[in-house]
mmCIF file with all atom_site columns, all heavy atoms in Angstrom:
data_model
loop_
_atom_site.group_PDB
_atom_site.id
_atom_site.type_symbol
_atom_site.label_atom_id
_atom_site.label_alt_id
_atom_site.label_comp_id
_atom_site.label_asym_id
_atom_site.label_entity_id
_atom_site.label_seq_id
_atom_site.pdbx_PDB_ins_code
_atom_site.Cartn_x
_atom_site.Cartn_y
_atom_site.Cartn_z
_atom_site.occupancy
_atom_site.B_iso_or_equiv
_atom_site.pdbx_formal_charge
_atom_site.auth_seq_id
_atom_site.auth_comp_id
_atom_site.auth_asym_id
_atom_site.auth_atom_id
_atom_site.pdbx_PDB_model_num
ATOM 1   N N   . ILE A 1 28 ? -86.806 -110.366 -30.880 1.00 0.00 ? 179 ILE A N   1
ATOM 2   C CA  . ILE A 1 28 ? -86.326 -109.290 -31.752 1.00 0.00 ? 179 ILE A CA  1
ATOM 3   C C   . ILE A 1 28 ? -85.177 -109.785 -32.615 1.00 0.00 ? 179 ILE A C   1
ATOM 4   O O   . ILE A 1 28 ? -85.147 -109.550 -33.825 1.00 0.00 ? 179 ILE A O   1
ATOM 5   C CB  . ILE A 1 28 ? -85.897 -108.066 -30.903 1.00 0.00 ? 179 ILE A CB  1
ATOM 6   C CG1 . ILE A 1 28 ? -87.114 -107.433 -30.229 1.00 0.00 ? 179 ILE A CG1 1
ATOM 7   C CG2 . ILE A 1 28 ? -85.148 -107.050 -31.768 1.00 0.00 ? 179 ILE A CG2 1
ATOM 8   C CD1 . ILE A 1 28 ? -86.767 -106.398 -29.157 1.00 0.00 ? 179 ILE A CD1 1
ATOM 9   N N   . SER A 1 29 ? -84.239 -110.500 -32.022 1.00 0.00 ? 180 SER A N   1
ATOM 10  C CA  . SER A 1 29 ? -83.070 -110.992 -32.757 1.00 0.00 ? 180 SER A CA  1
ATOM 11  C C   . SER A 1 29 ? -83.438 -111.975 -33.865 1.00 0.00 ? 180 SER A C   1
ATOM 12  O O   . SER A 1 29 ? -82.741 -112.062 -34.868 1.00 0.00 ? 180 SER A O   1
ATOM 13  C CB  . SER A 1 29 ? -82.084 -111.657 -31.793 1.00 0.00 ? 180 SER A CB  1
ATOM 14  O OG  . SER A 1 29 ? -81.560 -110.696 -30.905 1.00 0.00 ? 180 SER A OG  1
ATOM 15  N N   . ARG A 1 30 ? -84.528 -112.701 -33.692 1.00 0.00 ? 181 ARG A N   1
ATOM 16  C CA  . ARG A 1 30 ? -84.959 -113.642 -34.734 1.00 0.00 ? 181 ARG A CA  1
ATOM 17  C C   . ARG A 1 30 ? -85.559 -112.930 -35.945 1.00 0.00 ? 181 ARG A C   1
ATOM 18  O O   . ARG A 1 30 ? -85.636 -113.496 -37.030 1.00 0.00 ? 181 ARG A O   1
ATOM 19  C CB  . ARG A 1 30 ? -85.961 -114.629 -34.165 1.00 0.00 ? 181 ARG A CB  1
ATOM 20  C CG  . ARG A 1 30 ? -85.319 -115.635 -33.246 1.00 0.00 ? 181 ARG A CG  1
ATOM 21  C CD  . ARG A 1 30 ? -86.322 -116.697 -32.810 1.00 0.00 ? 181 ARG A CD  1
ATOM 22  N NE  . ARG A 1 30 ? -85.712 -117.598 -31.871 1.00 0.00 ? 181 ARG A NE  1
ATOM 23  C CZ  . ARG A 1 30 ? -85.914 -117.574 -30.551 1.00 0.00 ? 181 ARG A CZ  1
ATOM 24  N NH1 . ARG A 1 30 ? -86.720 -116.678 -30.027 1.00 0.00 ? 181 ARG A NH1 1
ATOM 25  N NH2 . ARG A 1 30 ? -85.307 -118.429 -29.765 1.00 0.00 ? 181 ARG A NH2 1
ATOM 26  N N   . CYS A 1 31 ? -86.002 -111.691 -35.736 1.00 0.00 ? 182 CYS A N   1
ATOM 27  C CA  . CYS A 1 31 ? -86.664 -110.949 -36.817 1.00 0.00 ? 182 CYS A CA  1
ATOM 28  C C   . CYS A 1 31 ? -85.920 -109.688 -37.233 1.00 0.00 ? 182 CYS A C   1
ATOM 29  O O   . CYS A 1 31 ? -86.353 -108.993 -38.148 1.00 0.00 ? 182 CYS A O   1
ATOM 30  C CB  . CYS A 1 31 ? -88.086 -110.576 -36.389 1.00 0.00 ? 182 CYS A CB  1
ATOM 31  S SG  . CYS A 1 31 ? -89.143 -112.002 -36.118 1.00 0.00 ? 182 CYS A SG  1
ATOM 32  N N   . GLY A 1 32 ? -84.841 -109.379 -36.564 1.00 0.00 ? 183 GLY A N   1
ATOM 33  C CA  . GLY A 1 32 ? -84.111 -108.159 -36.899 1.00 0.00 ? 183 GLY A CA  1
ATOM 34  C C   . GLY A 1 32 ? -83.007 -107.881 -35.911 1.00 0.00 ? 183 GLY A C   1
ATOM 35  O O   . GLY A 1 32 ? -82.328 -108.802 -35.458 1.00 0.00 ? 183 GLY A O   1
ATOM 36  N N   . TRP A 1 33 ? -82.862 -106.601 -35.539 1.00 0.00 ? 184 TRP A N   1
ATOM 37  C CA  . TRP A 1 33 ? -81.763 -106.181 -34.683 1.00 0.00 ? 184 TRP A CA  1
ATOM 38  C C   . TRP A 1 33 ? -82.260 -105.282 -33.567 1.00 0.00 ? 184 TRP A C   1
ATOM 39  O O   . TRP A 1 33 ? -83.070 -104.394 -33.792 1.00 0.00 ? 184 TRP A O   1
ATOM 40  C CB  . TRP A 1 33 ? -80.726 -105.395 -35.493 1.00 0.00 ? 184 TRP A CB  1
ATOM 41  C CG  . TRP A 1 33 ? -80.171 -106.182 -36.616 1.00 0.00 ? 184 TRP A CG  1
ATOM 42  C CD1 . TRP A 1 33 ? -79.101 -107.027 -36.594 1.00 0.00 ? 184 TRP A CD1 1
ATOM 43  C CD2 . TRP A 1 33 ? -80.672 -106.222 -37.952 1.00 0.00 ? 184 TRP A CD2 1
ATOM 44  N NE1 . TRP A 1 33 ? -78.914 -107.578 -37.832 1.00 0.00 ? 184 TRP A NE1 1
ATOM 45  C CE2 . TRP A 1 33 ? -79.865 -107.105 -38.690 1.00 0.00 ? 184 TRP A CE2 1
ATOM 46  C CE3 . TRP A 1 33 ? -81.734 -105.588 -38.608 1.00 0.00 ? 184 TRP A CE3 1
ATOM 47  C CZ2 . TRP A 1 33 ? -80.070 -107.364 -40.030 1.00 0.00 ? 184 TRP A CZ2 1
ATOM 48  C CZ3 . TRP A 1 33 ? -81.953 -105.860 -39.947 1.00 0.00 ? 184 TRP A CZ3 1
ATOM 49  C CH2 . TRP A 1 33 ? -81.117 -106.742 -40.641 1.00 0.00 ? 184 TRP A CH2 1
ATOM 50  N N   . LEU A 1 34 ? -81.731 -105.504 -32.390 1.00 0.00 ? 185 LEU A N   1
ATOM 51  C CA  . LEU A 1 34 ? -81.995 -104.633 -31.253 1.00 0.00 ? 185 LEU A CA  1
ATOM 52  C C   . LEU A 1 34 ? -80.991 -103.488 -31.317 1.00 0.00 ? 185 LEU A C   1
ATOM 53  O O   . LEU A 1 34 ? -79.784 -103.711 -31.324 1.00 0.00 ? 185 LEU A O   1
ATOM 54  C CB  . LEU A 1 34 ? -81.841 -105.404 -29.937 1.00 0.00 ? 185 LEU A CB  1
ATOM 55  C CG  . LEU A 1 34 ? -82.006 -104.600 -28.654 1.00 0.00 ? 185 LEU A CG  1
ATOM 56  C CD1 . LEU A 1 34 ? -83.397 -104.001 -28.561 1.00 0.00 ? 185 LEU A CD1 1
ATOM 57  C CD2 . LEU A 1 34 ? -81.716 -105.475 -27.454 1.00 0.00 ? 185 LEU A CD2 1
ATOM 58  N N   . VAL A 1 35 ? -81.478 -102.265 -31.394 1.00 0.00 ? 186 VAL A N   1
ATOM 59  C CA  . VAL A 1 35 ? -80.621 -101.090 -31.492 1.00 0.00 ? 186 VAL A CA  1
ATOM 60  C C   . VAL A 1 35 ? -80.343 -100.518 -30.104 1.00 0.00 ? 186 VAL A C   1
ATOM 61  O O   . VAL A 1 35 ? -79.211 -100.173 -29.782 1.00 0.00 ? 186 VAL A O   1
ATOM 62  C CB  . VAL A 1 35 ? -81.261 -100.015 -32.410 1.00 0.00 ? 186 VAL A CB  1
ATOM 63  C CG1 . VAL A 1 35 ? -80.420 -98.754  -32.451 1.00 0.00 ? 186 VAL A CG1 1
ATOM 64  C CG2 . VAL A 1 35 ? -81.471 -100.581 -33.814 1.00 0.00 ? 186 VAL A CG2 1
ATOM 65  N N   . GLU A 1 36 ? -81.381 -100.418 -29.276 1.00 0.00 ? 187 GLU A N   1
ATOM 66  C CA  . GLU A 1 36 ? -81.232 -99.861  -27.935 1.00 0.00 ? 187 GLU A CA  1
ATOM 67  C C   . GLU A 1 36 ? -82.374 -100.358 -27.051 1.00 0.00 ? 187 GLU A C   1
ATOM 68  O O   . GLU A 1 36 ? -83.488 -100.563 -27.525 1.00 0.00 ? 187 GLU A O   1
ATOM 69  C CB  . GLU A 1 36 ? -81.272 -98.331  -27.996 1.00 0.00 ? 187 GLU A CB  1
ATOM 70  C CG  . GLU A 1 36 ? -81.123 -97.654  -26.656 1.00 0.00 ? 187 GLU A CG  1
ATOM 71  C CD  . GLU A 1 36 ? -81.224 -96.143  -26.736 1.00 0.00 ? 187 GLU A CD  1
ATOM 72  O OE1 . GLU A 1 36 ? -81.592 -95.594  -27.784 1.00 0.00 ? 187 GLU A OE1 1
ATOM 73  O OE2 . GLU A 1 36 ? -80.945 -95.509  -25.717 1.00 0.00 ? 187 GLU A OE2 1
ATOM 74  N N   . ALA A 1 37 ? -82.071 -100.529 -25.782 1.00 0.00 ? 188 ALA A N   1
ATOM 75  C CA  . ALA A 1 37 ? -83.100 -100.888 -24.805 1.00 0.00 ? 188 ALA A CA  1
ATOM 76  C C   . ALA A 1 37 ? -82.947 -99.944  -23.615 1.00 0.00 ? 188 ALA A C   1
ATOM 77  O O   . ALA A 1 37 ? -81.826 -99.701  -23.159 1.00 0.00 ? 188 ALA A O   1
ATOM 78  C CB  . ALA A 1 37 ? -82.944 -102.331 -24.359 1.00 0.00 ? 188 ALA A CB  1
ATOM 79  N N   . ARG A 1 38 ? -84.072 -99.426  -23.135 1.00 0.00 ? 189 ARG A N   1
ATOM 80  C CA  . ARG A 1 38 ? -84.029 -98.479  -22.024 1.00 0.00 ? 189 ARG A CA  1
ATOM 81  C C   . ARG A 1 38 ? -85.163 -98.796  -21.055 1.00 0.00 ? 189 ARG A C   1
ATOM 82  O O   . ARG A 1 38 ? -86.319 -98.868  -21.448 1.00 0.00 ? 189 ARG A O   1
ATOM 83  C CB  . ARG A 1 38 ? -84.183 -97.062  -22.556 1.00 0.00 ? 189 ARG A CB  1
ATOM 84  C CG  . ARG A 1 38 ? -84.047 -96.011  -21.474 1.00 0.00 ? 189 ARG A CG  1
ATOM 85  C CD  . ARG A 1 38 ? -84.065 -94.634  -22.035 1.00 0.00 ? 189 ARG A CD  1
ATOM 86  N NE  . ARG A 1 38 ? -82.895 -94.474  -22.892 1.00 0.00 ? 189 ARG A NE  1
ATOM 87  C CZ  . ARG A 1 38 ? -82.703 -93.452  -23.697 1.00 0.00 ? 189 ARG A CZ  1
ATOM 88  N NH1 . ARG A 1 38 ? -83.610 -92.522  -23.783 1.00 0.00 ? 189 ARG A NH1 1
ATOM 89  N NH2 . ARG A 1 38 ? -81.621 -93.368  -24.428 1.00 0.00 ? 189 ARG A NH2 1
ATOM 90  N N   . ALA A 1 39 ? -84.799 -98.979  -19.785 1.00 0.00 ? 190 ALA A N   1
ATOM 91  C CA  . ALA A 1 39 ? -85.793 -99.272  -18.753 1.00 0.00 ? 190 ALA A CA  1
ATOM 92  C C   . ALA A 1 39 ? -86.264 -97.989  -18.088 1.00 0.00 ? 190 ALA A C   1
ATOM 93  O O   . ALA A 1 39 ? -85.468 -97.089  -17.837 1.00 0.00 ? 190 ALA A O   1
ATOM 94  C CB  . ALA A 1 39 ? -85.195 -100.205 -17.709 1.00 0.00 ? 190 ALA A CB  1
ATOM 95  N N   . PHE A 1 40 ? -87.557 -97.927  -17.822 1.00 0.00 ? 191 PHE A N   1
ATOM 96  C CA  . PHE A 1 40 ? -88.164 -96.825  -17.083 1.00 0.00 ? 191 PHE A CA  1
ATOM 97  C C   . PHE A 1 40 ? -88.875 -97.448  -15.897 1.00 0.00 ? 191 PHE A C   1
ATOM 98  O O   . PHE A 1 40 ? -90.022 -97.869  -16.022 1.00 0.00 ? 191 PHE A O   1
ATOM 99  C CB  . PHE A 1 40 ? -89.165 -96.069  -17.965 1.00 0.00 ? 191 PHE A CB  1
ATOM 100 C CG  . PHE A 1 40 ? -88.525 -95.445  -19.175 1.00 0.00 ? 191 PHE A CG  1
ATOM 101 C CD1 . PHE A 1 40 ? -88.474 -96.134  -20.372 1.00 0.00 ? 191 PHE A CD1 1
ATOM 102 C CD2 . PHE A 1 40 ? -87.972 -94.176  -19.105 1.00 0.00 ? 191 PHE A CD2 1
ATOM 103 C CE1 . PHE A 1 40 ? -87.890 -95.567  -21.487 1.00 0.00 ? 191 PHE A CE1 1
ATOM 104 C CE2 . PHE A 1 40 ? -87.384 -93.607  -20.221 1.00 0.00 ? 191 PHE A CE2 1
ATOM 105 C CZ  . PHE A 1 40 ? -87.342 -94.307  -21.417 1.00 0.00 ? 191 PHE A CZ  1
ATOM 106 N N   . SER A 1 41 ? -88.218 -97.543  -14.773 1.00 0.00 ? 192 SER A N   1
ATOM 107 C CA  . SER A 1 41 ? -88.672 -98.247  -13.581 1.00 0.00 ? 192 SER A CA  1
ATOM 108 C C   . SER A 1 41 ? -88.808 -99.737  -13.893 1.00 0.00 ? 192 SER A C   1
ATOM 109 O O   . SER A 1 41 ? -88.351 -100.205 -14.920 1.00 0.00 ? 192 SER A O   1
ATOM 110 C CB  . SER A 1 41 ? -89.982 -97.667  -13.029 1.00 0.00 ? 192 SER A CB  1
ATOM 111 O OG  . SER A 1 41 ? -91.115 -98.180  -13.694 1.00 0.00 ? 192 SER A OG  1
#
Side-chain angles (χ1 to χ4, degrees):
I179 293 169
S180 294
R181 288 186 184 103
C182 296
W184 301 272
L185 176 61
V186 176
E187 180 182 10
R189 184 174 296 170
F191 298 92
S192 83

